[in-house]
Amino acid sequence: METPIDQQPRPVGKPSMLGIILEPTKQFERIRENPRVALPLILLLVAFGLVGTWTGFLSADSPTTGSEVPVWLTVGMAAIVMALGVGVALLLTSLFHWLLTLLFRGEASYKQIFSLNTHLYILVLLSMIVTYTVASLTDVDPLQPVAPTSLAAVIDAKGFIGGILSGIEVFALWQLVLTAMGLSVIARISRGKAWTAALIIFVAGLLIAGATGAMTEFTQQMQGMNGG
């Protein structure tokens, strides 16, 4: 006996990066049922590679870049490092999110979590586009741009605190909210557990940003002492 047409399961739509912004809940359900990885990842790496090329050209004109470095080398390295950095960040972030959902007895697979983070990374891309657009229109050093949407843009601080403030940014907070929502929907865990998992990774990212800021300040101080 055939199943009536109105009772047959409807095909699950494909999740999209644009949909993550416009209708995130629907996309989370689609990622749970149909986690796409290959095409979104390729598009993301290409996009970040282009952003890396753009920043490479900006960096070539930076006073902190040696004039003896060929422009093509600066641009090529920036594109490669940007794309590889995004790939590694996605792998590690997804791994830790997945392990945390397992700890909270979630039902998600690593592929589902990786697909979630890949789609959410469009917010990171938008943040970088805004940041480097402002850097290209101002006198900001493109090697050390300050996101205009972060607290670092309104609070003058350097070192560890400056790094943390740079991580507290509109798109990053937006990504944090959607990550918590997505983990709850995809892993079928409570909102509290989903927020805990999302916040752990977010805070870890802030600490890394703070450590990077401290190292940058230390390096600049050492260069100043050697120059003096």
Side-chain angles (χ1 to χ4, degrees):
M1 180 176 179
E2 295 183 359
T3 304
I5 295 178
D6 58 349
Q7 295 182 12
Q8 291 180 359
R10 297 181 180 180
V12 179
K14 298 178 180 179
S16 70
M17 292 184 179
L18 182 60
I20 284 290
I21 297 176
L22 300 177
E23 43 185 8
T25 303
K26 180 184 292 186
Q27 303 309 313
F28 297 150
E29 291 290 354
R30 289 179 175 180
I31 290 173
R32 175 176 170 79
E33 300 298 329
N34 185 19
R36 301 177 69 207
V37 172
L39 182 58
L41 179 61
I42 292 173
L43 293 176
L44 201 65
L45 294 181
V46 170
F48 274 97
L50 293 175
V51 173
T53 300
W54 178 20
T55 60
F57 279 112
L58 293 176
S59 300
D61 296 329
S62 173
T64 56
T65 302
S67 58
E68 69 278 1
V69 180
V71 174
W72 66 267
L73 181 60
T74 301
V75 172
M77 288 299 296
I80 293 173
V81 170
M82 183 75 73
L84 288 178
V86 168
V88 172
L90 277 171
L91 288 170
L92 293 178
T93 300
S94 299
L95 175 61
F96 290 124
H97 277 150
W98 179 58
L99 292 175
L100 286 170
T101 58
L102 289 182
L103 179 64
F104 294 141
R105 300 184 183 278
E107 302 174 2
S109 66
Y110 178 77
K111 182 178 181 180
Q112 289 172 319
I113 301 299
F114 188 84
S115 179
L116 169 65
N117 282 316
T118 301
H119 284 81
L120 288 178
Y121 241 64
I122 189 175
L123 296 174
V124 180
L125 178 64
L126 292 175
S127 176
M128 295 195 69
I129 290 175
V130 170
T131 298
Y132 284 103
T133 297
V134 173
S136 64
L137 297 176
T138 61
D139 296 329
V140 175
D141 187 351
L143 291 180
Q144 299 174 6
V146 176
T149 53
S150 71
L151 286 181
V154 295
I155 301 177
D156 186 16
K158 296 182 180 180
F160 184 80
I161 300 300
I164 289 181
L165 293 178
S166 68
I168 303 176
E169 181 258 347
V170 171
F171 289 98
L173 295 176
W174 189 0
Q175 183 183 10
L176 171 64
V177 173
L178 293 184
T179 298
M181 291 173 57
L183 291 176
S184 179
V185 171
I186 294 172
R188 296 294 194 259
I189 57 179
S190 67
R191 292 182 179 180
K193 291 179 179 179
W195 268 101
T196 300
L199 281 170
I200 287 175
I201 304 304
F202 180 73
V203 171
L206 290 182
L207 294 177
I208 292 174
T212 301
M215 289 294 295
T216 300
E217 183 182 32
F218 177 76
T219 301
Q220 291 175 342
Q221 290 177 348
M222 292 300 295
Q223 291 177 344
M225 292 175 60
N226 294 333

